[in-house]
Structure formats: C-alpha cells, structure tokens
Amino acid sequence: MSIVEYKGFGGIRLSADMIGDENDPAILLLPDAGQGREAWRSVADALVLSGRRVVNLEPRVVSGPDWNADDQIAHVEDLRAVLAQMGSRPVVVAARRGGWIAAQALAPDGVHLAAGLVLVDMPVTDETVAAAPRLALPTLVVRGGLSPAECTAVSDAFGAALPIGEGVDIEESDIAFATDRDDALLGQLLDFLERHQPREAVEFKAGSDPRT
C-alpha cells in the first residue's frame, strides 16, 4: 500500500490509500461525508484480492455539525478534481452521502471521468432524482448494503430514471450476522464489476465506447 495525494477544490490536498497492482482495473472508494477512509478498508482489501487496484479516498473534513451547501459543493468539486487526475477511469463506489456527492459530480459528464458508479445506501433527494437522467454510465444502486434497506417511492423514482441503471436490495431475511451484510455487499460489487469492468481486456468494437 502507498499513500497518494490529490489536489482538491480550492487547492486542498486530499490523501488516499492506493492498494493493488497498477495494471488492474481501478476502483475509487468514497465514504460517507464526515467519515474517513477506514470505513471502506475491509472492502478495499477484499477488492484487491479480487484483482482490482483500489484508491481509498479520505474526503475533506466537514466544516460543522450540519452538512451545508458549501460543504456539498466542495465535496462534489473535490471528487471531480480527483477523477480528472487519475490515469484511468475508475468505477466509483460511494456510501451514503458519498453517493449523493458522486451522483452530483458525475451527472454532467461522468462518462469521461468514470467507468461506472455504485451507490450504497444513498439518501435520495430531489437533487439526486434530477441528476439521475444525466448519469449516462453503468450505475448500480444498492439498498441495505450498510444498514437495513430503506425502500421509498422517491428511491424507486431515482432508479427508474437512470439511463443504464440497475438496483439490488439486500434483504434482512438473508442477514444473520454483521459479516453476512458485508459479504452480500461485496458479492454485488464483484458481480457488477465483472460485467462492467472486467479484469481481462475485451475486444474493442467501433462505437462501443461512449467516449468515441
């Protein structure tokens, strides 16, 4: 593991753990706003064992007890800045408010910055529903990945509005121990990654890359 630094919004320096082989497909992990990169550490280690290179990002510190508009803008622009500095397009895996940040950051032109998006237990708001139709990259919405799933009409509307979206609910009936939830989340992540970011090179076909 090595520590890397990125320049965020306003010139702030953001650190990240970089784990795995540099030739493997890249994953960027983004925790909930107010959490540090230790929140994703066990998932990061498991992804590396599955053949991924993981960048586990430490977000900027939230400025106060309330996650205000200035915090939101700064976090969104931080993520866009970090993605622009990466050498390849990663799949972004984001938890809770980190998912809100990722959805806002990738809505304008995310296909040029990321290869895919996984939103774990993201709080769905009017802003995210409005952003959904512009998220033109493969997107997986996981409910129940970190805590019991909250299934609401607005979260259903978000999923339905995604151009290349899919969703999965991790059911409480399948969870006997805390590790069961971790294993279920990891299983969904790996399934999505194998389909949208395979470890082995695939044959290029004209028009298959949305950037071309």
Side-chain angles (χ1 to χ4, degrees):
M1 181 180 73
S2 59
I3 306 296
V4 295
E5 284 195 342
Y6 297 97
K7 183 178 290 188
F9 179 64
I12 190 173
R13 303 206 70 79
L14 302 170
S15 63
D17 296 336
M18 183 174 288
I19 320 167
D21 191 310
E22 64 180 9
N23 296 312
D24 287 336
I27 310 293
L28 176 67
L29 297 178
L30 185 67
D32 188 3
Q35 287 191 323
R37 59 185 182 268
E38 69 279 356
W40 275 130
R41 193 150 284 154
S42 62
V43 171
D45 291 340
L47 288 172
V48 170
L49 290 175
S50 75
R52 262 72 192 186
R53 176 171 61 90
V54 175
V55 177
N56 191 9
L57 185 66
E58 181 84 19
R60 71 168 62 212
V61 176
V62 175
S63 62
D66 297 323
W67 196 46
N68 59 41
D70 288 341
D71 281 328
Q72 294 170 9
I73 292 170
H75 279 84
V76 168
E77 294 303 322
D78 280 346
L79 179 56
R80 289 182 56 81
V82 169
L83 290 169
Q85 293 165 68
M86 294 184 68
S88 61
R89 295 183 306 149
V91 169
V92 177
V93 179
R96 297 188 171 119
R97 289 178 297 178
W100 187 97
I101 293 164
Q104 299 302 312
L106 294 175
D109 54 359
V111 71
H112 299 290
L113 296 173
L117 175 61
V118 179
L119 303 168
V120 183
D121 294 354
M122 180 188 72
V124 179
T125 65
D126 290 341
E127 293 92 344
T128 51
V129 172
R134 296 180 291 140
L135 286 168
L137 72 169
T139 302
L140 172 64
V141 179
V142 181
R143 298 188 295 197
L146 302 171
S147 58
E150 295 184 10
C151 303
T152 64
V154 69
S155 64
D156 289 341
F158 173 81
L162 292 168
I164 318 173
E166 54 190 279
V168 62
D169 294 341
I170 296 176
E171 303 291 346
E172 288 306 292
S173 59
D174 298 328
I175 305 298
F177 303 98
T179 53
D180 292 343
R181 191 183 302 278
D182 296 340
D183 291 344
L185 174 58
L186 184 61
Q188 296 297 334
L189 286 176
L190 293 177
D191 176 71
F192 179 82
L193 293 172
E194 285 298 317
R195 289 183 287 110
H196 296 288
Q197 192 201 47
R199 287 168 293 176
E200 306 223 346
V202 296
E203 180 183 357
F204 175 78
K205 295 181 181 179
S208 64
D209 188 330
R211 297 173 297 170
T212 62

